[in-house]
Short mmCIF file of all heavy atoms in Angstrom, two decimals:
data_model
loop_
_atom_site.label_atom_id
_atom_site.label_comp_id
_atom_site.label_asym_id
_atom_site.label_seq_id
_atom_site.Cartn_x
_atom_site.Cartn_y
_atom_site.Cartn_z
N ARG A 24 17.85 3.66 -56.11
CA ARG A 24 18.57 4.72 -55.39
C ARG A 24 17.83 5.01 -54.07
O ARG A 24 17.01 5.91 -53.98
CB ARG A 24 18.61 6.01 -56.22
CG ARG A 24 19.75 6.12 -57.19
CD ARG A 24 21.10 6.46 -56.56
NE ARG A 24 21.06 7.61 -55.64
CZ ARG A 24 21.26 8.87 -56.03
NH1 ARG A 24 21.48 9.16 -57.30
NH2 ARG A 24 21.23 9.85 -55.14
N PRO A 25 18.11 4.25 -53.03
CA PRO A 25 17.39 4.43 -51.77
C PRO A 25 17.55 5.83 -51.17
O PRO A 25 16.74 6.24 -50.34
CB PRO A 25 18.01 3.36 -50.87
CG PRO A 25 18.56 2.34 -51.81
CD PRO A 25 19.04 3.11 -52.98
N ASP A 26 18.63 6.54 -51.56
CA ASP A 26 18.94 7.81 -50.91
C ASP A 26 18.45 9.03 -51.70
O ASP A 26 18.60 10.15 -51.24
CB ASP A 26 20.47 7.93 -50.76
CG ASP A 26 21.21 7.87 -52.10
OD1 ASP A 26 20.71 7.15 -53.01
OD2 ASP A 26 22.26 8.51 -52.23
N ILE A 27 17.85 8.84 -52.87
CA ILE A 27 17.49 9.99 -53.69
C ILE A 27 16.13 10.53 -53.27
O ILE A 27 15.26 9.80 -52.77
CB ILE A 27 17.46 9.60 -55.20
CG1 ILE A 27 17.52 10.83 -56.09
CG2 ILE A 27 16.22 8.76 -55.51
CD1 ILE A 27 17.77 10.50 -57.55
N ASP A 28 15.93 11.85 -53.47
CA ASP A 28 14.60 12.43 -53.25
C ASP A 28 13.70 12.06 -54.43
O ASP A 28 14.10 12.20 -55.59
CB ASP A 28 14.68 13.96 -53.16
CG ASP A 28 15.16 14.45 -51.79
OD1 ASP A 28 15.01 13.71 -50.81
OD2 ASP A 28 15.68 15.58 -51.73
N ILE A 29 12.52 11.58 -54.11
CA ILE A 29 11.52 11.28 -55.14
C ILE A 29 10.29 12.14 -54.87
O ILE A 29 9.70 12.06 -53.79
CB ILE A 29 11.13 9.79 -55.15
CG1 ILE A 29 12.36 8.92 -55.35
CG2 ILE A 29 10.07 9.53 -56.25
CD1 ILE A 29 12.08 7.42 -55.30
N GLU A 30 9.98 12.97 -55.83
CA GLU A 30 8.91 13.95 -55.68
C GLU A 30 7.69 13.52 -56.50
O GLU A 30 7.83 12.94 -57.56
CB GLU A 30 9.40 15.30 -56.19
CG GLU A 30 8.42 16.46 -56.04
CD GLU A 30 9.07 17.79 -56.40
OE1 GLU A 30 9.64 17.91 -57.50
OE2 GLU A 30 8.97 18.73 -55.60
N VAL A 31 6.52 13.81 -55.96
CA VAL A 31 5.27 13.60 -56.70
C VAL A 31 4.56 14.94 -56.83
O VAL A 31 4.59 15.76 -55.92
CB VAL A 31 4.35 12.55 -56.05
CG1 VAL A 31 4.94 11.17 -56.19
CG2 VAL A 31 4.08 12.87 -54.59
N ASP A 32 3.93 15.12 -57.97
CA ASP A 32 3.29 16.41 -58.28
C ASP A 32 1.98 16.14 -59.00
O ASP A 32 1.97 15.58 -60.09
CB ASP A 32 4.22 17.24 -59.15
CG ASP A 32 3.66 18.61 -59.51
OD1 ASP A 32 2.56 18.95 -59.04
OD2 ASP A 32 4.35 19.34 -60.23
N GLY A 33 0.87 16.55 -58.35
CA GLY A 33 -0.44 16.44 -59.00
C GLY A 33 -1.44 15.67 -58.16
O GLY A 33 -1.24 14.50 -57.87
N GLY A 34 -2.47 16.36 -57.74
CA GLY A 34 -3.55 15.70 -56.99
C GLY A 34 -3.15 15.25 -55.60
O GLY A 34 -3.79 14.36 -55.02
N VAL A 35 -2.11 15.85 -55.04
CA VAL A 35 -1.66 15.47 -53.69
C VAL A 35 -2.52 16.14 -52.64
O VAL A 35 -2.65 17.36 -52.63
CB VAL A 35 -0.17 15.82 -53.48
CG1 VAL A 35 0.23 15.55 -52.03
CG2 VAL A 35 0.72 15.06 -54.44
N ASP A 36 -3.14 15.33 -51.80
CA ASP A 36 -3.96 15.85 -50.70
C ASP A 36 -3.71 14.97 -49.45
O ASP A 36 -2.79 14.17 -49.44
CB ASP A 36 -5.43 15.89 -51.08
CG ASP A 36 -6.01 14.55 -51.52
OD1 ASP A 36 -5.47 13.51 -51.08
OD2 ASP A 36 -7.02 14.53 -52.25
N TYR A 37 -4.53 15.17 -48.43
CA TYR A 37 -4.31 14.44 -47.19
C TYR A 37 -4.39 12.92 -47.35
O TYR A 37 -3.78 12.18 -46.57
CB TYR A 37 -5.34 14.86 -46.13
CG TYR A 37 -5.29 16.33 -45.75
CD1 TYR A 37 -6.42 16.97 -45.28
CD2 TYR A 37 -4.12 17.07 -45.84
CE1 TYR A 37 -6.40 18.30 -44.91
CE2 TYR A 37 -4.08 18.39 -45.50
CZ TYR A 37 -5.23 19.02 -45.03
OH TYR A 37 -5.21 20.34 -44.67
N SER A 38 -5.13 12.45 -48.35
CA SER A 38 -5.28 11.04 -48.57
C SER A 38 -4.21 10.49 -49.52
O SER A 38 -3.51 9.51 -49.22
CB SER A 38 -6.67 10.74 -49.14
OG SER A 38 -6.80 9.38 -49.51
N THR A 39 -4.06 11.13 -50.67
CA THR A 39 -3.14 10.60 -51.66
C THR A 39 -1.68 10.73 -51.26
O THR A 39 -0.83 9.98 -51.74
CB THR A 39 -3.35 11.30 -53.03
OG1 THR A 39 -3.19 12.72 -52.87
CG2 THR A 39 -4.74 11.00 -53.58
N VAL A 40 -1.38 11.65 -50.35
CA VAL A 40 0.00 11.76 -49.88
C VAL A 40 0.48 10.45 -49.23
O VAL A 40 1.65 10.09 -49.36
CB VAL A 40 0.15 12.96 -48.91
CG1 VAL A 40 -0.52 12.68 -47.57
CG2 VAL A 40 1.63 13.30 -48.72
N THR A 41 -0.45 9.74 -48.61
CA THR A 41 -0.05 8.47 -47.98
C THR A 41 0.21 7.41 -49.02
O THR A 41 1.10 6.58 -48.85
CB THR A 41 -1.11 7.99 -46.99
OG1 THR A 41 -2.35 7.75 -47.71
CG2 THR A 41 -1.38 9.01 -45.90
N LEU A 42 -0.55 7.40 -50.13
CA LEU A 42 -0.31 6.44 -51.20
C LEU A 42 1.07 6.63 -51.80
O LEU A 42 1.79 5.67 -52.03
CB LEU A 42 -1.38 6.59 -52.29
CG LEU A 42 -2.83 6.34 -51.90
CD1 LEU A 42 -3.74 6.66 -53.07
CD2 LEU A 42 -3.01 4.90 -51.43
N ALA A 43 1.41 7.89 -52.05
CA ALA A 43 2.73 8.19 -52.62
C ALA A 43 3.85 7.86 -51.66
O ALA A 43 4.91 7.34 -52.06
CB ALA A 43 2.77 9.65 -53.04
N ALA A 44 3.63 8.15 -50.38
CA ALA A 44 4.66 7.85 -49.38
C ALA A 44 4.88 6.35 -49.23
O ALA A 44 6.01 5.89 -49.10
CB ALA A 44 4.28 8.48 -48.04
N GLU A 45 3.80 5.58 -49.26
CA GLU A 45 3.93 4.13 -49.18
C GLU A 45 4.73 3.57 -50.35
O GLU A 45 5.46 2.60 -50.20
CB GLU A 45 2.53 3.51 -49.14
CG GLU A 45 1.80 3.66 -47.82
CD GLU A 45 0.40 3.11 -47.86
OE1 GLU A 45 -0.23 3.16 -48.94
OE2 GLU A 45 -0.07 2.64 -46.82
N ALA A 46 4.60 4.22 -51.51
CA ALA A 46 5.33 3.77 -52.70
C ALA A 46 6.81 4.13 -52.63
O ALA A 46 7.62 3.56 -53.38
CB ALA A 46 4.70 4.35 -53.95
N GLY A 47 7.15 5.11 -51.80
CA GLY A 47 8.54 5.50 -51.65
C GLY A 47 8.85 6.95 -51.90
O GLY A 47 10.00 7.37 -51.80
N ALA A 48 7.83 7.75 -52.21
CA ALA A 48 8.06 9.19 -52.40
C ALA A 48 8.32 9.85 -51.06
O ALA A 48 7.82 9.42 -50.02
CB ALA A 48 6.87 9.83 -53.08
N ASN A 49 9.10 10.94 -51.08
CA ASN A 49 9.35 11.68 -49.83
C ASN A 49 9.23 13.19 -50.02
O ASN A 49 9.32 13.94 -49.05
CB ASN A 49 10.72 11.33 -49.27
CG ASN A 49 11.87 11.86 -50.10
OD1 ASN A 49 12.00 11.51 -51.28
ND2 ASN A 49 12.71 12.70 -49.53
N VAL A 50 9.03 13.64 -51.25
CA VAL A 50 8.83 15.08 -51.53
C VAL A 50 7.47 15.24 -52.19
O VAL A 50 7.19 14.59 -53.20
CB VAL A 50 9.93 15.64 -52.44
CG1 VAL A 50 9.75 17.15 -52.59
CG2 VAL A 50 11.32 15.33 -51.89
N PHE A 51 6.63 16.12 -51.60
CA PHE A 51 5.25 16.18 -52.03
C PHE A 51 4.87 17.61 -52.43
O PHE A 51 4.94 18.52 -51.62
CB PHE A 51 4.32 15.71 -50.90
CG PHE A 51 4.71 14.31 -50.43
CD1 PHE A 51 5.57 14.16 -49.33
CD2 PHE A 51 4.26 13.20 -51.06
CE1 PHE A 51 5.97 12.91 -48.90
CE2 PHE A 51 4.65 11.91 -50.64
CZ PHE A 51 5.50 11.78 -49.57
N VAL A 52 4.50 17.76 -53.70
CA VAL A 52 4.02 19.04 -54.19
C VAL A 52 2.51 19.10 -53.96
O VAL A 52 1.79 18.20 -54.34
CB VAL A 52 4.30 19.19 -55.71
CG1 VAL A 52 3.75 20.50 -56.23
CG2 VAL A 52 5.81 19.10 -55.97
#
């Protein structure tokens, strides 16, 4: 689903946000 929001929650900081974004996440808790 290329158009769906994918959220990550837990341990998100200035560094890990890039790891999640590279994987395809676009909503960051």
Side-chain angles (χ1 to χ4, degrees):
R24 273 285 308 272
D26 60 327
I27 199 169
D28 281 336
I29 303 177
E30 184 173 51
V31 290
D32 182 2
V35 174
D36 57 26
Y37 298 153
S38 174
T39 57
V40 71
T41 62
L42 298 176
E45 285 176 329
N49 69 300
V50 184
F51 306 93
V52 177

